């Protein structure tokens, strides 16, 4: 049992003795070391309900039972706060146990539960642009965090690979490309063709008719149309794959919207059968005005289905096949109404099984003007952003390490660039808008990816120096926790499992990012005040053991955020 659990049980038992049935005893880390290491603020509430003096009640709680070994003291402060001070020995033992555990103490709260995460999910035949980065990066971090918590995660890239745009695309592909271009097709060419073909639908009714006809043929399974459509998907997946490789993102499934096409008719039939769908101006709709959710169209006047219909069918299919405890969707904030609508409809149809449907939405990421030298129209391609990040990082690397081998400098620049972009995103609460600036993202001394990567590399080098100079393994040294800075750092290390659990529970990787940033700050004040290699042997060995634990937690935490950790920097 960990220290926190022991303290919690001791306090709960003490409260129970003093005020039976009150259920109090919550312990939280103290904000300030002067108030002990942990504190409990429950006495005030319990006293108020019982009409007692809170300070006296807190005193009684503290004196009710003998102190457990792990606590050095329990004191009452102010109107009735209970401040707990852990013994250095207990903290040291806790850190040792955490560092020796392959999971770094993260409790397997998700064991036996399946979660589907639908993220990234770009639309085929369009380049991924800067808007897709947040879904990809946040979704992937949630994916990694939930896996660390023991959940069986199914990461599904729900590609937008079906829809009315394909008629326009097929016609454009056949008309506006040279043989040579068709031979070496790229997503960029497809985008150009789409713009051209779409433009022509505006003032050429015959063209519009041909596009419609192509769409109808595709939907009817016409071989030639299907072959072209498959080519669009293949080319897009190849390009997306290149970006995912750079970002270290892997999916278990790539089930696009097209996968669910055969299920759309039956889905609308079910909606009609349950009396949820009604007819309005020739279309079938679900009227959710009473729920304050406007109206969702499930079948258009021309018989076509849309986004809502596909998402309802998708829930049905995922529940039947995987029986998940949760289905998580990661998209931008503009889709909130859509998700509320189909979540409500799925609930009303009883399609969810035991699954909780959860929409994790995020604010947009904006770039201040003139951030980019190369702009294609107004949309910045994701790949351009990644290239620019690597190029800027490369300049920094070249300046500080002109003597390092070319391959290492290139790999390092890529790791720093990707880390900077990911961290700039993950360090914010998903629900906020981000204004991305290179200065902040690449700063070596602020709350940035490179700062954390740098701290990690410095720890690596310290551990290595110790091995070389002392000839012993840091992880094998006994840990003692003496000074206040050591204790503050060690206590923070002990909070790692909580940070991971909370980040997973709330689907906010930012909780973990904040935790890691604080860890680096505490480490840096520890390191400034407490020499390691130059200290006398017993102190040196204890301190290196603490550094080893910090290094493990930092590396583990960065891995859960999907941020690369280069060995040296
Ligand atoms: N393809 C959509 C887009 O790019 C995102 C899909 C999100 N997932 C879903 N099941 N609706 O906006």
């Amino acid at each position: 049992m960990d220290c926190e659990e022991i303290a919690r049980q001791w306090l709960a038992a003490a409260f129970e003795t003093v005020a039976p049935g009150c259920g109090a005893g919550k312990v939280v880390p103290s904000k300030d070391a002067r108030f002990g290491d942990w504190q409990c603020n429950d006495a005030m509430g319990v006293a108020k309900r019982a009409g007692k003096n809170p300070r006296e009640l807190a005193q009684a709680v503290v004196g009710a039972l003998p102190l457990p070994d792990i606590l050095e003291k329990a004191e009452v402060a102010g109107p009735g706060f209970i401040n707990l001070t852990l013994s250095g020995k207990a903290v040291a033992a806790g850190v040792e146990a955490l560092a020796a555990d392959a999971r770094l103490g993260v409790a397997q709260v998700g064991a036996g539960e399946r979660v589907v995460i639908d993220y990234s999910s770009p639309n085929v035949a369009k380049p991924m642009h800067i808007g897709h980065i947040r879904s990809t990066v946040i979704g992937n971090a949630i994916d990694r965090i939930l896996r660390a918590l023991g959940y069986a995660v199914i990461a599904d890239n729900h590609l937008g690979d079906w829809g009315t745009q394909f008629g326009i695309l097929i016609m454009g592909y056949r008309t506006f490309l040279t043989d040579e271009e068709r031979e070496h097709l790229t997503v960029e060419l497809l985008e150009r063709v789409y713009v051209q073909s779409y433009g022509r639908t505006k003032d050429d009714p015959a063209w519009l008719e041909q596009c419609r006809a192509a769409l109808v043929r595709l939907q009817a399974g016409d071989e030639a149309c299907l072959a072209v459509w498959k080519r669009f998907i293949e080319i897009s997946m190849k390009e997306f794959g290149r970006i995912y490789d750079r970002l270290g993102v892997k999916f278990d499934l790539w089930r696009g919207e097209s996968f669910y096409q055969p299920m759309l008719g039956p889905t609308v039939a079910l909606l009609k059968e349950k009396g949820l769908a009604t007819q309005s101006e020739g279309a079938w709709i679900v009227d959710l005005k009473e729920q304050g959710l406007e109206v969702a169209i499930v079948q258009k006047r021309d018989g076509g289905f849309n986004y809502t219909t596909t998402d309802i069918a998708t829930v049905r299919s995922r529940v039947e096949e995987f029986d998940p405890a949760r289905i998580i969707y990661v998209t931008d904030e503009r889709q909130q109404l859509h998700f509320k609508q189909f979540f409500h409809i799925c609930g009303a149809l009883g399609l969810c099984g035991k699954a909780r449907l959860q929409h994790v939405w995020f604010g947009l990421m904006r770039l201040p003007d003139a951030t980019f030298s190369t702009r294609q129209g107004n949309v910045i391609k994701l790949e351009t952003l990644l290239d620019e990040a690597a190029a800027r990082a490369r300049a920094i690397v070249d300046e500080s390490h002109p003597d390092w081998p070319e391959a290492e400098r290139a790999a390092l620049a890529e790791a720093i660039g990707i880390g900077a972009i990911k961290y700039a995103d993950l360090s914010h609460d998903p629900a906020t808008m981000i204004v991305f600036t290179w200065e902040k993202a690449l700063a070596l001394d602020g709350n940035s990816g490179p700062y954390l990567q740098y701290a990690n590399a410095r720890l690596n080098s310290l551990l290595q120096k110790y091995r070389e100079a002392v000839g012993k393994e840091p992880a094998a040294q006994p840990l003692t926790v003496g000074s206040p800075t050591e204790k503050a750092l060690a206590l923070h290390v002990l909070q790692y499992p909580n940070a991971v659990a909370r980040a997973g529970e709330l689907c906010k990787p930012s909780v973990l990012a904040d935790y890691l940033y604080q860890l680096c700050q505490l480490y840096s004040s520890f390191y400034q005040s407490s020499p390691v290699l130059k200290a006398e042997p017993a102190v040196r060995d204890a301190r290196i053991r603490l550094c080893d634990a910090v290094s493990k937690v930092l590396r583990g935490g960065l891995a859960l955020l999907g941020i690369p950790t280069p060995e040296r920097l």
Side-chain angles (χ1 to χ4, degrees):
M1 208 187 316
D2 64 18
C3 299
E4 206 174 322
E5 192 53 36
I6 295 173
R8 193 178 299 126
Q9 288 188 9
W10 172 76
L11 255 186
F15 266 106
E16 185 61 27
T17 323
V18 173
C22 70
K26 191 163 174 274
V27 182
V28 293
S30 297
K31 294 265 178 315
D32 186 328
R34 282 177 302 161
F35 305 131
D37 301 323
W38 290 335
Q39 62 186 57
C40 169
N41 308 330
D42 290 352
M44 280 79 76
V46 173
K48 194 169 176 195
R49 266 173 271 135
K52 289 190 181 154
N53 175 310
R55 218 186 136 89
E56 277 164 21
L57 184 118
Q59 276 304 352
V61 168
V62 162
L65 299 170
L67 270 190
D69 283 349
I70 58 147
L71 293 181
E72 206 169 270
K73 56 183 181 193
E75 290 171 323
V76 176
F81 297 110
I82 299 173
N83 296 338
L84 307 179
T85 305
L86 280 151
S87 78
K89 231 170 134 182
V91 175
V95 172
E96 283 187 344
L98 185 144
D101 177 13
R103 296 197 175 103
L104 299 173
V106 173
Q108 300 300 287
V109 292
E113 297 214 329
R114 219 175 262 158
V115 175
V116 176
I117 313 187
D118 174 322
Y119 69 93
S120 194
S121 309
N123 298 324
V124 160
K126 282 191 197 157
M128 272 209 241
H129 58 80
I130 174 154
H132 288 108
I133 190 158
R134 298 207 74 191
S135 175
T136 309
V137 168
I138 296 171
N140 185 247
I142 295 174
D143 175 346
R144 289 165 184 258
I145 290 168
L146 293 181
R147 282 178 211 261
L149 289 165
Y151 290 96
V153 174
I154 300 169
D156 189 3
N157 194 359
H158 187 77
L159 293 172
D161 63 356
W162 200 250
T164 46
Q165 72 271 32
F166 285 100
I168 296 168
L169 267 168
I170 291 172
M171 281 306 294
Y173 170 85
R174 287 182 175 156
T175 317
F176 302 123
L177 290 181
T178 61
D179 287 345
E180 165 80 15
E181 284 170 331
R182 270 194 292 269
E183 185 76 18
H184 301 103
L185 192 60
T186 61
V187 173
E188 213 168 320
L189 281 172
L190 283 173
E191 197 195 24
R192 192 196 83 195
V193 150
Y194 178 80
V195 172
Q196 228 174 327
S197 178
Y198 180 72
R200 187 152 162 195
T201 60
K202 298 276 163 204
D203 39 41
D204 182 348
W207 181 260
L208 178 63
E209 213 25 70
Q210 278 174 290
C211 291
R212 281 210 183 115
L215 181 66
V216 170
R217 280 203 305 280
L218 173 70
Q219 288 173 339
D222 173 83
E223 295 281 335
C225 287
L226 273 177
V228 175
W229 170 75
K230 279 193 186 134
R231 185 95 208 286
F232 297 165
I233 292 172
E234 188 193 312
I235 298 291
S236 306
M237 298 223 319
K238 211 163 90 196
E239 274 188 33
F240 297 159
R242 217 164 53 215
I243 293 177
Y244 294 137
D245 280 349
R246 286 181 79 176
L247 292 174
V249 169
K250 282 199 190 75
F251 296 95
D252 302 297
L253 291 177
W254 288 67
R255 266 187 201 166
E257 293 180 12
S258 64
F259 178 85
Y260 305 96
Q261 288 313 300
M263 308 168 205
L264 300 185
T267 298
V268 173
L270 181 69
L271 282 163
K272 291 179 189 168
E273 184 192 310
K274 299 262 170 160
L276 282 169
T278 51
Q279 219 156 8
S280 164
E281 294 167 32
W284 286 91
I285 61 157
V286 180
D287 188 339
L288 299 167
K289 289 203 278 288
E290 233 166 72
Q291 289 76 20
L293 298 176
E294 301 174 27
V295 161
I297 301 174
V298 290
Q299 186 164 21
K300 288 179 280 190
R301 216 165 7 155
D302 65 8
F305 304 105
N306 53 17
Y307 197 37
T308 306
T309 333
T310 310
D311 265 322
I312 299 170
T314 305
V315 169
R316 198 178 186 186
S317 158
R318 285 175 178 159
V319 167
E320 270 169 23
E321 188 172 345
F322 305 119
D323 190 25
R326 275 206 261 179
I327 306 179
I328 299 169
Y329 301 82
V330 187
T331 81
D332 77 52
E333 61 191 1
R334 292 170 304 185
Q335 299 197 26
Q336 284 180 82
L337 178 65
H338 165 72
F339 281 93
K340 283 186 186 148
Q341 287 180 332
F342 86 79
F343 285 3
H344 182 89
I345 297 171
C346 288
L349 288 176
L351 292 182
C352 305
K354 61 171 195 246
R356 172 154 69 97
L357 307 184
Q358 199 176 353
H359 181 208
V360 175
W361 53 268
F362 52 82
L364 295 179
M365 178 147 110
R366 301 239 161 81
L367 297 167
D369 286 340
T371 304
F372 274 84
S373 36
T374 44
R375 273 177 179 247
Q376 289 92 352
N378 302 320
V379 227
I380 290 148
K381 284 174 63 188
L382 189 43
E383 213 160 20
T384 314
L385 182 81
L386 301 186
D387 289 344
E388 173 109 14
R392 284 177 183 252
R394 178 67 199 246
I396 299 173
V397 172
D398 284 350
E399 199 178 308
S400 39
H401 306 295
D403 52 322
W404 286 10
E406 160 65 28
E408 184 178 354
R409 276 185 284 151
L412 186 56
E414 176 77 5
I416 295 176
I418 298 289
I421 290 198
K422 283 189 162 189
Y423 191 81
D425 189 334
L426 295 171
S427 55
H428 293 84
D429 186 313
T432 53
M433 194 199 97
I434 302 182
V435 179
F436 179 91
T437 66
W438 290 112
E439 292 66 34
K440 232 184 119 200
L442 287 166
L444 277 175
D445 53 359
N447 186 5
S448 71
Y451 170 74
L452 299 195
Q453 290 175 321
Y454 188 57
N456 174 65
R458 272 201 332 205
L459 272 161
N460 283 343
S461 112
L462 176 66
L463 294 166
Q464 198 45 35
K465 276 197 194 126
Y466 173 90
R467 285 188 194 100
E468 283 159 16
V470 182
K472 295 197 280 192
E473 186 44 46
Q477 305 316 306
L479 180 61
T480 49
V481 170
S483 72
T485 41
E486 281 171 14
K487 196 176 187 192
L489 181 57
L491 278 168
H492 195 68
V493 167
L494 288 181
Q495 286 301 314
Y496 177 69
N498 276 342
V500 176
R502 229 154 33 88
E505 170 62 29
L506 303 172
C507 286
K508 283 187 199 296
S510 55
V511 171
L512 181 56
D514 286 348
Y515 168 87
L516 294 174
Y517 179 54
Q518 276 175 37
L519 180 71
C520 290
Q521 284 182 308
L522 287 167
Y523 172 71
S524 139
S525 31
F526 156 82
Y527 191 74
Q528 274 159 29
S529 65
S530 330
V532 178
L533 297 178
K534 293 205 175 88
E536 53 123 338
V539 176
R540 175 198 66 194
D541 293 351
R543 285 184 180 160
I544 202 73
R545 178 61 189 271
L546 182 55
C547 294
D548 180 67
V550 172
S551 155
K552 286 190 168 115
V553 166
L554 182 55
R555 216 165 342 113
L558 286 172
L560 294 191
L561 295 179
I563 295 189
T565 45
E567 207 39 42
R568 58 175 190 167
L569 215 133

